[in-house]
């Protein structure tokens, strides 16, 4: 089996398991699927899965055999399976796989009676990792085929075991929740009908989403919960505040609110409240009259007037000045405003969606954000989870981004090796989905033979527990990649890929040309084509 086939199998397996979990399948069914998937992926003849439990007796104190294939739990008590037990215990103790390609000829096991009795050849014991060490072990063997668990198969099995750990943690959380709900129902019998109704509503909202969210990848419980809320408020005019860390996809949610609703044919405009000075941002939002300030040589319509009937997305709303917050509050209360330097009131119908990576509750308490404005903006809060809290979505996100990169470059998609996926799953992703996308776009440049392996990720030492990008060779003035954040590296890459046409680069990035110039200026990067090209060529790989 090729690395690509193994990767495809893993994605298919965990996509089905995630669907099972969302459908609230019981733990037994999830364990059966995991065991069958491991057997199929490895081509094993027999095997079993051991998991941590409160059992104090049996062959594994503190663990129990959860599911077995082509053997029984009783078989494991016999001498025939003594080596199987020792391999599992060793994997639990070391936290690392125990593998042999030909047990009959392996000097390590020459005295293992059970190996010779069963004539074992290929053996693998793969630990299933949890937050505080192994929570279980997959044991697999084959009596007739040597070298079965090596190369791409072993890499795929390691990745499978790591993903299985995440799936099992989520399954146990769901199981615990179901157990708690059952206990609550027993204690509060008179509320059983209400609990049943709420559970049905939650289950239906997980299973069926009214709108399509093609650009929002992920079916983890937290994302389904957020999208279910978005479904309910899409057709409403009520203001929405989207809260989440940088790179979690706040603008994608705002676009979904607009383009899935009845305002879809009207304009949708994004304005970054932290990108412009106060007076310029005020002019951008409300417009101005000729002579309102220096260089105001003609009347100018503001975004709010332009977007009448549509939606405005105010990103980084926490960075808006207190003076401008007062004017925005009046607009939200009255649905009208006066252009800067004007006297005539302009009345418009605009839905306001705002977002920030700072908690506005905290800013209100600190006196840095108006409480009355917060109440107006926060008709509904959509909270987006960081990527580290929904790692089960990472394989789907990676596949999605690699396909988009291939479509843009008009090439075949690059494959992601299971070992590289393991590296990505162990990282904390402080920059969230945006950082993952930027990382994959760079990794494609270092892919070998159409595959991103661990070596392809060495440009980002942080993935391996190292520090940020090193300073490039040569005495170059200005900033280096060490001082450029991942978002700015992506901006420079887009400029280069567009042939240094800044308008096309801005369009590819989904930002305005003016905002692109602002980002260059903020980092001290020359916008003129010649110096800009020289700057980029000395700083990007």
């Amino acid at each position: 089996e090729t690395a690509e086939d193994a990767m495809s199998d893993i994605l298919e397996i965990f996509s089905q398991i995630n669907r099972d979990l969302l459908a609230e399948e019981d733990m037994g069914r999830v364990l059966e699927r995991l065991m069958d998937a491991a057997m199929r992926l490895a081509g094993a003849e027999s095997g079993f899965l051991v998991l941590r439990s409160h059992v104090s007796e049996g062959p594994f104190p503190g663990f129990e055999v959860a599911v077995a294939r082509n053997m029984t739990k009783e078989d494991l008590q016999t001498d025939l399976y003594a080596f199987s037990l020792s391999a599992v215990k060793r994997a639990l103790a070391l936290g690392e796989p125990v593998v042999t390609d030909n047990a009959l000829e392996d000097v390590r096991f020459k005295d293992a009676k059970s190996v010779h009795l069963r004539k074992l050849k290929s053996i693998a014991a793969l630990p299933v990792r949890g937050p505080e060490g192994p929570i279980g072990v997959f044991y697999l063997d084959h009596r007739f085929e040597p070298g079965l668990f090596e190369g791409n198969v072993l890499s795929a099995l390691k990745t499978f075991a790591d993903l299985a750990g995440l799936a099992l943690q989520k399954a146990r959380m769901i199981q615990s929740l179901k157990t708690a709900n059952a206990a609550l129902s027993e204690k509060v019998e008179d509320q059983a009908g209400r609990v049943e109704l709420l559970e049905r509503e939650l289950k239906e909202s997980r299973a069926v989403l009214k709108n399509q969210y093609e650009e929002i990848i992920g079916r983890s419980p937290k994302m389904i919960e957020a999208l279910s809320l978005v479904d309910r408020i899409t057709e409403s005019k009520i203001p929405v505040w989207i809260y989440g860390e940088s790179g979690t996809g706040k603008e994608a949610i705002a676009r979904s609110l607009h383009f899935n609703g009845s305002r879809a044919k009207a304009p949708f405009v994004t304005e970054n409240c932290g990108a412009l000075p106060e007076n310029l941002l005020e002019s951008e939002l409300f417009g101005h009259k000729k002579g309102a300030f220096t260089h105001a040589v003609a009347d100018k319509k503001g975004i709010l007037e332009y977007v009448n009937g549509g939606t405005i997305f105010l990103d980084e709303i926490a960075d808006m000045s207190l003076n401008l917050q007062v004017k925005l509050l009046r607009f939200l209360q009255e649905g009208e405003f006066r252009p800067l330097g004007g006297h005539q009131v302009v009345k418009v119908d605009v839905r306001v969606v705002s977002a920030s990576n700072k908690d506005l509750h905290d800013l209100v308490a600190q006196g840095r954000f108006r409480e009355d404005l917060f109440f107006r903006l926060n008709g509904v809060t959509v909270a987006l989870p960081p990527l580290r809290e929904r790692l089960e979505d990472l394989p789907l996100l990676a596949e999605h981004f690699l396909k988009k990169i291939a479509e843009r470059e008009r090439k075949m998609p690059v494959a992601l090796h299971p070992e590289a996926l393991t590296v990505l799953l162990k990282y904390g992703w402080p920059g969230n989905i945006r950082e993952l996308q930027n990382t994959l776009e760079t990794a494609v440049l270092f892919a070998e033979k159409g595959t991103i392996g661990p070596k392809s990720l060495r440009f980002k030492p942080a993935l391996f527990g190292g520090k940020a990008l090193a300073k490039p060779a040569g005495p170059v003035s200005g900033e280096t990649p060490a001082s450029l954040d991942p978002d700015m590296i992506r901006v420079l890459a887009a400029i280069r890929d567009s042939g240094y046409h800044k308008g096309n680069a801005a369009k590819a990035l989904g930002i305005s040309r003016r905002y692109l110039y602002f980002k260059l200026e903020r980092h001290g990067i020359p916008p003129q084509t010649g110096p800009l090209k020289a700057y980029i060529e000395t700083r990007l790989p």
Side-chain angles (χ1 to χ4, degrees), residues 414-455:
V414 172
L416 185 63
H417 194 278
E419 290 184 358
L421 177 60
T422 299
V423 172
L424 298 180
L425 287 167
K426 291 180 179 179
Y427 182 57
W429 299 106
N432 294 293
I433 298 171
R434 185 186 297 123
E435 184 185 5
L436 173 63
Q437 181 177 5
N438 294 341
T439 298
L440 291 172
E441 287 184 345
T442 306
V444 167
L445 301 176
F446 297 96
E448 297 180 357
K449 297 181 180 180
T451 300
I452 296 174
K455 290 183 179 179

Side-chain angles (χ1 to χ4, degrees), residues 335-498:
E336 61 186 31
F337 61 90
R338 289 189 179 90
L340 193 61
H343 301 287
Q344 186 174 358
V345 171
V346 178
K347 197 170 186 66
V348 293
D349 171 24
V350 176
R351 186 181 194 181
V352 176
V353 179
S354 60
S356 67
N357 59 15
K358 302 172 185 174
D359 193 335
L360 294 183
H361 296 89
D362 294 340
L363 296 185
V364 168
Q366 297 166 18
R368 296 166 54 193
F369 201 88
R370 292 183 62 95
E371 185 177 35
D372 46 5
L373 176 58
F374 176 53
F375 290 147
R376 283 287 179 178
L377 290 170
N378 188 26
V380 173
T381 300
V382 176
L384 295 183
L387 181 55
R388 63 182 175 276
E389 293 182 5
R390 57 181 189 104
L391 282 176
E392 61 266 52
D393 287 335
L394 191 146
L396 298 176
L397 286 163
E399 182 181 31
H400 170 73
F401 288 137
L402 291 175
K403 284 182 179 179
K404 285 187 65 175
I405 295 168
E407 291 171 0
R408 185 185 67 202
E409 302 294 334
R410 297 182 179 178
K411 297 178 181 179
M412 290 294 293
V414 172
L416 185 63
H417 194 278
E419 290 184 358
L421 177 60
T422 299
V423 172
L424 298 180
L425 287 167
K426 291 180 179 179
Y427 182 57
W429 299 106
N432 294 293
I433 298 171
R434 185 186 297 123
E435 184 185 5
L436 173 63
Q437 181 177 5
N438 294 341
T439 298
L440 291 172
E441 287 184 345
T442 306
V444 167
L445 301 176
F446 297 96
E448 297 180 357
K449 297 181 180 180
T451 300
I452 296 174
K455 290 183 179 179
S456 309
L457 300 172
R458 287 182 178 175
F459 70 92
K460 192 180 178 76
L463 292 172
F464 304 90
K467 295 183 179 180
L469 294 169
K471 183 176 181 179
V476 182
S477 62
E479 288 190 280
T480 66
S483 58
L484 291 173
D485 58 53
D487 184 56
M488 200 60 209
I489 293 174
R490 176 171 170 260
V491 168
L492 296 180
I495 294 174
R496 178 193 60 193
D497 296 344
S498 64

Side-chain angles (χ1 to χ4, degrees), residues 6-7 44 54 99 164 182 204 206 216 232 268 275 292 296 310 316 324 331 335 357 363 418 441 454 465 536:
M7 183 64 185
H54 299 295
V99 180
E204 290 173 354
R206 285 180 178 178
I216 303 176
R232 291 172 176 265
F268 172 88
E316 301 305 339
L324 199 50
F331 166 69
N357 59 15
L363 296 185
E441 287 184 345
I536 292 176

Side-chain angles (χ1 to χ4, degrees), residues 298-310:
D299 291 354
K300 175 188 174 182
K301 284 186 177 182
I303 292 174
L304 290 173
E305 187 171 356
Y306 165 74
V307 82
N308 188 21

Side-chain angles (χ1 to χ4, degrees), residues 9-51:
D9 284 347
I10 291 173
L11 291 176
E12 179 183 351
I13 289 163
F14 283 95
S15 176
Q16 180 60 54
I17 288 172
N18 275 327
R19 286 195 292 271
D20 287 347
L21 292 177
L22 291 175
E24 296 188 325
E25 294 282 0
D26 61 48
M27 178 68 98
R29 183 177 177 84
V30 172
L31 296 178
E32 295 277 349
R33 284 190 178 278
L34 283 172
M35 192 66 234
D36 289 341
M39 295 284 290
R40 185 175 76 248
L41 190 63
E45 181 186 18
S46 59
F48 57 86
L49 172 60
V50 170
L51 289 178

